[in-house]
Amino acid sequence: MAGPALDSRLLRNHATQGLDPHAPHKQGELPHLDQPNKRMRLLIFGSNYAPEVTGSGRYTSQMATWLADRGHDVTVITAPPHYPAWRIDEAYARQGFKTENLEGVRVHRTPLYVPRANRASTLRRILMETSFTANSSAWWLRKLFRRPGPDVVICICPPMQIVLWPWIMRLARRAPVVLHVQDLQFDAAMNLGMLGSRRIARLLSSVERAALSMATHISTISDSMRTRIASKGFSLSDISLVPNWTSTTPDTDLERVKRFRDKHDIGPNQILALYSGNLGRKQGLSTLLDTANLLRENRSIRFLIIGQGVDEVRLKARAKELELKNVRFGDLVPEEELSTLLTAADIHMIIQQEAATDLVMPSKLTNILAVGRPSVATAHRDSEIGKVLLERNAGTIVPPGDPVALAAAVATISQNAAARVEMGKNARAYAEANLNINVILAGLEVTLSQFAARRAR
């Protein structure tokens, strides 16, 4: 497996042009970027897509829309929205196979089996992913025999097994496959004890290595994940860094932000510590409830947990058992309200278990940085999160699974308004310099163009 890495010179050149990812543009035109030399036919394959507002689906849909805006012909094969609620969105229920056009992107929906959140065992998760891979054959068989075929296939993982169909396309039609790894799913599951026996773990590790080998090129979202993938027998030169980006800005409508806080009974003089995202096992959110319990007498701090997931029922039951009056739960907000949600918080909580902290780069971090708010994270100093927050003074970290240390950190930062403001400014500055959607996806476009040109020869 070999292929060109991202063109670092292009990234540096665009970074110095002061690109504004929020400037208005119409389809086919980005005012701060040169138009691509050649229109590409791109096929993106992943199980998560808009209107999902959290996790990898958000980034896949933004990638597809950006590439379509650049004038490329973009098709997506995906599932109906189902994450992190672990149920298919009502608007897509009982629709089966469906094709729709979303913001210039042709989207093929594939039905899949989705277990209930409280029954989402490892086996049922594998069955869900297998059902998506198998059912998507209805779209792939058409693509395999239709001309012209895609210039490049982009495969979004996890799940890792879905690289099978892109690999077949690569063999049959010489279409290069770029495998973009958002999450080292098997490694995290193994460390969290979700795979059961060592025999199963070894089998799945072999499947993962085989899947990675099927790709023409690999990209991933952080240096630590890039290094981990290389440790599985791949060259670093064959693995590109394509970090998750942000197109979020702070909500400057203070009245709208106030209404959000009022809705959740957060007073103007209270500190809102917000967790927003997946309520899953790898987050280890029991630590957050234990932290809230330690701070229950501190009336100036309120915790808000926004999200859905397999651990939701247990967490709510635990909060009720502890009689935590300083904790509230809420539903995920639509995309247009995300900026308001994130801006309303005084402190953002990024919670992960010990076993997952170096393997998973939380997608929520980019948007938190973009709205200019400090974070308190459970992470190691040398982890990706630790490096960003500590080196940039954009927040603080404590050891995973330590509610006492977490409570002390929250209490300390809640008492220092000047520190919160300074950390928030640093967070926003980092996002503007490093997480610009145009800069990151322009680099990806160069890589895709190189592979498309190689296929054409």
Side-chain angles (χ1 to χ4, degrees), residues 247-259:
S247 57
T248 302
T249 54
D251 190 340
T252 57
D253 188 332
L254 299 183
E255 184 58 34
R256 185 165 52 211
V257 172
K258 180 181 181 300
R259 285 197 301 269

